Amino acid sequence: MSGMRTILTSLAIGGIVGIGFGMWAIVVPGEDKKRELFKSLPESNPARMDETRKRNALMLQVIKDAAETQDNIARGFGNQK
């Protein structure tokens, strides 16, 4: 009886793995869809990528300046008395 239970358990686990793989295969986009997706990414547009680099450099500079000062710069932008 335990041999039959082992076989049924193994088949059930195999079936669950098979169903999971089948669902994954349905959800994964095809090659054409991947190419279309990569074309729409911001990294594919040189002008937008340059904008992103400049914005990141400015943000890093602001963070660096904030780290070097003892003032609480977050308080300075709120209610100014």
Side-chain angles (χ1 to χ4, degrees):
M1 198 63 175
S2 74
M4 184 67 141
R5 189 179 317 168
T6 303
I7 292 171
L8 288 176
T9 303
S10 299
L11 288 174
I13 291 173
I16 291 171
V17 169
I19 290 171
F21 180 74
M23 291 175 72
W24 176 76
I26 290 171
V27 173
V28 173
E31 286 298 319
D32 296 334
K33 183 74 173 170
K34 283 182 186 178
R35 285 191 196 110
E36 184 180 324
L37 181 66
F38 286 142
K39 286 181 185 177
S40 66
L41 289 176
E43 291 84 11
S44 65
N45 185 351
R48 186 161 179 187
M49 192 61 180
D50 189 43
E51 254 180 58
T52 302
R53 281 192 191 106
K54 287 179 184 177
R55 185 174 55 246
N56 287 345
L58 287 173
M59 289 303 297
L60 285 174
Q61 185 62 38
V62 167
I63 292 170
K64 183 179 177 185
D65 292 345
E68 292 174 352
T69 184
Q70 293 295 327
D71 297 335
N72 185 351
I73 63 169
R75 187 178 297 167
F77 296 120
N79 294 334
Q80 296 193 3
K81 296 178 182 178

